[in-house]
Structure formats: C-alpha cells, structure tokens
Amino acid sequence: MVEIRERSFDDFFEVPFAVYPSSDAYVSPMRSDLKRMLSAGVNPLFPSEDDFTYFTAIRNGRPAGRIVVHNHAASNALHKTNQASFGFFDCEDNGEVAGALLEAASQWARAGGFDTLCGNFNLTAMQQCGVQTDGFDHHGFTDMVQNPPHIPRLLEANGFEAYFPMTTFSLDLASAKLTEKTLPSNASYSFTPIEKKSFPARMEDARLVLNDGFADNPMFVALSKEEFVFQAGEMMTILDPRLSSVLLCDNEPVGVVICIPDLNGFLRATKSRFGLLTPFHYLRYRLNRKRAVIIFYSVARKCHGRGIMGAMLDRTLKALRTAGYRELGLTWIADINAASLRQAEKLGAKPLHRLHLFKKVL
C-alpha cells in the first residue's frame, strides 16, 4: 500500500537518502536550499502555492519516492506551450510507487488545464534539467542531474516518452587542449573577476550577458533580476574568484564565464545538512578543491563569431591549472547545439552522462 503525502517537506527531503545507496552517484542539494526552492513567495518562480506542489510516496512507513509538479508560466507564455513541469523525481525501483507519484503529478496538471507533463526540471531549464539515461557509472559535478537507471525505465512504463537529448562532459585539465585564442584587437577588452567586494554588480553583468547570449536557445527564458539573485545569491560563499569573470568591451559587459568549485564532496560529507561538523567539512573541502564545474558561459549576440568564447575558455582553463584544479565538468549541452558541442570537442572534453527530457500527453 502506497500513501501519497502532499507538501510534507521532511519526508520529501529524506527520499534519496532512504532509497538510494550511499554509493550511488546522486547528490542532494542542501536541505536549506531545497526548502527555499519549495517555498512560495520566497522563490520568485512561485509567487503563490497555486503555482506548484510536491508529493512524497510512503511505503511500509518510510519515504519511497517524491516528485515536484509546477507551472513555469513565463516559459509557457514565451514558447506558446501549455505544459506542466515535473522535477525532483526520485523513487525506489517500484512500479506501484512510481505510478502513484506520476499519477498525482498528472492529476495536478490536468486540474490546472495543462495538456502535457514534462521533466525533469529542477526547477527550470536554466537550473538542473533532464533525466539521466546513460553514464551511470560516472559520478558527476555540482549542478548535474544524476539518477539510477530504473528512473527512465519507470517513466517509460508510465507512458512518458524521451525527447531532447543532452550530454554532460568532463575535462582532464592536464590534457586540455588550449586554443591560444586571443581577443580581437579592434576594441578595448578587459576581464574583471567576480569577487565578493563587487559580487552584486558583476552578477548583474552576468545576468544581462546570459539573457542576451542565450536568447535564441531552445527552452530558454530570460531571468529576472530577482530570479537570478535567488538562484545565484549563495554562490558568493563558495566562489573562487580566480575562476569566474566578466568580459568588458569599452566598459560594457559582453561575455561571462561562471565556474565554481565542485561541491559534491562537501555535500556528501554533510549529507546535505548543516550540523556541528559542517565547518570542519567545509574547511577540508576548501583545502582540497581539485574539481570545478562551469555552470554557464555566454557571449552577447553582437559579439558572436569573433572568437571571444574560445579566448574566454582558454583564460579559464589556464586559471584552473594555475589554481591547482585537475578536473572540470561542463553541464548539459543539447544535441542540437552543434557550436557548443564543437567547443567541448576542441577542448578535449569527454562525454560523461547522457540525459533526456521525458513528456506525456495528458
């Protein structure tokens, strides 16, 4: 017998710890961060509780699965769709549990008048996105979706169809291929680091360049200042200012690379909770950072085709090597994004995981 509980956060948070072995590649966000994500009026994506809900499946008295379902209103308006999104679908390998969760999410979507249910979106395409469908033996980096192989199988068994294939990558920095690209000489370019003393201003520059450079990408929705600050605000505490930068051209932001140390080791050590030993684990993590991940990079559209991205990535790789990092992760690149795939290949990056979105017509 499966019981479905709605908006029971403690049960929801415990699911992956209850159903995935500690050796599994899945890494949970911090409990406090997940709580913020699922708080109406705190997360700008959800002005009210009418915009989303979340369910936990309880079997034999213990959490056995979970799912979020929500309306990304801005995405539906921009892309002329009528879909509800699901995310954080984590579940034991049990068809009854999966069916109950997916039906609860489908009922919420039908009641809201949506015609399709799509995911994973944790919680949008600008955050964690996709369901892992291959590469299960490889542990990923911060901001990468990971799940065991039964998750896509359970989705398919409940009528969901895979679409929009994506790949994540890893790069051995010792063997990375530097292109030695240089910035064009016909304008005044300068890099400025993203550091604590100028964090708000530089992150606003980053938002503007992201919104402009990604404007034509599929599924992209421009981020408001409130959304961007909400998603990136706590980045300041983990930032390594040697890795992220904004490129200025005549003092106008035209490029950005957001690269952060990989947090997964720290999250595993703390079990994604703050406790008495958290400062110790954080200090150990700071002293032993060897892995980093590029969250995003972008160039303003008016500067496309000038070799600027290659020069920015070259600079970032050199900074990573100098700082003692050994491995770099690249978050998902869609199969249809041929230019970014070529860029990853030129760097010498190797495919890490395969992901797809899954959808069902309601």
Side-chain angles (χ1 to χ4, degrees):
M1 181 68 178
V2 177
E3 174 193 355
I4 297 296
R5 296 178 183 172
E6 187 172 7
R7 297 186 185 276
S8 176
F9 181 79
D10 289 345
D11 293 323
F12 184 91
F13 176 75
E14 289 297 332
V15 166
F17 299 97
V19 304
Y20 297 156
S22 58
S23 59
D24 195 90
Y26 178 86
V27 178
S28 171
M30 288 296 285
R31 188 182 192 279
S32 56
D33 290 338
L34 188 57
K35 182 72 170 177
R36 289 173 61 247
M37 291 182 204
L38 299 179
S39 296
V42 176
N43 187 342
L45 185 65
F46 303 138
S48 80
E49 290 192 348
D50 294 337
D51 299 308
F52 78 107
T53 194
Y54 54 95
F55 300 101
T56 308
I58 306 295
R59 190 173 74 87
N60 296 330
R62 59 189 285 273
R66 68 182 186 182
I67 197 167
V68 174
V69 59
H70 73 278
N71 170 27
H72 189 183
S75 178
N76 278 322
L78 178 64
H79 299 295
K80 305 296 189 293
T81 52
N82 183 36
Q83 67 182 36
S85 300
F86 73 86
F88 291 101
F89 177 53
D90 294 291
C91 183
E92 66 182 12
D93 191 359
N94 183 292
E96 183 183 9
V97 171
L101 285 167
L102 292 167
E103 181 55 29
S106 297
Q107 288 181 4
W108 185 92
R110 291 189 196 100
F114 300 101
D115 57 31
T116 311
L117 180 59
C118 308
N120 270 319
F121 294 104
N122 298 346
L123 291 161
T124 72
M126 284 64 71
Q127 295 171 284
Q128 292 183 344
C129 176
V131 174
Q132 186 181 358
T133 53
D134 203 357
F136 299 104
D137 293 335
H138 304 304
H139 285 234
F141 297 75
T142 300
D143 217 38
M144 290 184 181
V145 170
Q146 291 212 250
N147 53 260
H150 66 258
I151 294 296
R153 174 166 49 79
L154 290 171
L155 284 163
E156 290 173 345
N158 282 274
F160 285 80
E161 174 187 2
Y163 74 109
F164 199 76
M166 301 166 273
T167 304
T168 64
F169 294 85
S170 67
L171 176 62
D172 179 351
L173 289 166
S175 60
K177 301 173 184 176
L178 298 178
T179 61
E180 303 298 339
K181 290 269 189 180
T182 57
L183 293 168
S185 58
N186 60 345
S188 177
Y189 290 98
S190 62
F191 284 98
T192 181
I194 299 176
E195 51 193 0
K196 288 185 179 181
K197 65 182 180 181
S198 58
F199 187 80
R202 294 293 78 77
M203 292 309 284
E204 175 62 6
D205 291 340
R207 182 184 74 89
L208 295 174
V209 176
L210 172 69
N211 283 347
D212 185 77
F214 275 57
D216 298 326
N217 285 23
M219 298 194 302
F220 183 75
V221 178
L223 289 164
S224 69
K225 186 173 183 177
E226 292 74 20
E227 289 174 310
F228 195 77
V229 168
F230 178 82
Q231 293 180 23
E234 293 192 358
M235 189 185 299
M236 184 172 65
T237 62
I238 62 165
L239 203 66
D240 184 338
R242 297 170 293 182
L243 309 184
S244 297
S245 61
V246 171
L247 176 66
L248 304 177
C249 179
D250 298 323
N251 293 318
E252 178 187 353
V254 295
V256 61
V257 176
I258 300 296
C259 181
I260 65 171
D262 176 43
L263 282 172
N264 281 1
F266 168 70
L267 293 171
R268 282 184 179 280
T270 60
K271 295 186 177 180
S272 301
R273 301 164 173 86
F274 286 105
L276 291 176
L277 292 178
T278 302
F280 164 76
H281 289 303
Y282 185 70
L283 177 61
R284 187 172 65 174
Y285 145 77
R286 286 291 298 265
L287 293 174
N288 295 281
R289 295 186 296 195
K290 301 300 180 186
R291 287 161 45 104
V293 58
I294 290 182
I295 303 299
F296 70 83
Y297 50 82
S298 181
V299 172
R301 283 174 292 177
K302 69 179 183 180
C303 295
H304 285 183
R306 300 182 187 179
I308 289 175
M309 182 54 68
M312 291 174 58
L313 290 175
D314 256 22
R315 181 180 185 274
T316 303
L317 295 184
K318 290 173 181 175
L320 284 159
R321 285 177 172 176
T322 301
Y325 289 86
R326 297 175 183 170
E327 190 178 4
L328 177 67
L330 304 175
T331 53
W332 66 268
I333 300 175
D335 282 16
I336 59 174
N337 191 343
S340 291
L341 289 173
R342 283 195 301 272
Q343 189 74 64
E345 183 180 4
K346 289 178 182 177
L347 295 175
K350 304 298 183 184
L352 187 63
H353 307 127
R354 193 73 170 147
L355 304 104
H356 290 76
L357 292 174
F358 281 75
K359 66 181 176 182
K360 180 179 181 179
V361 176
L362 301 174

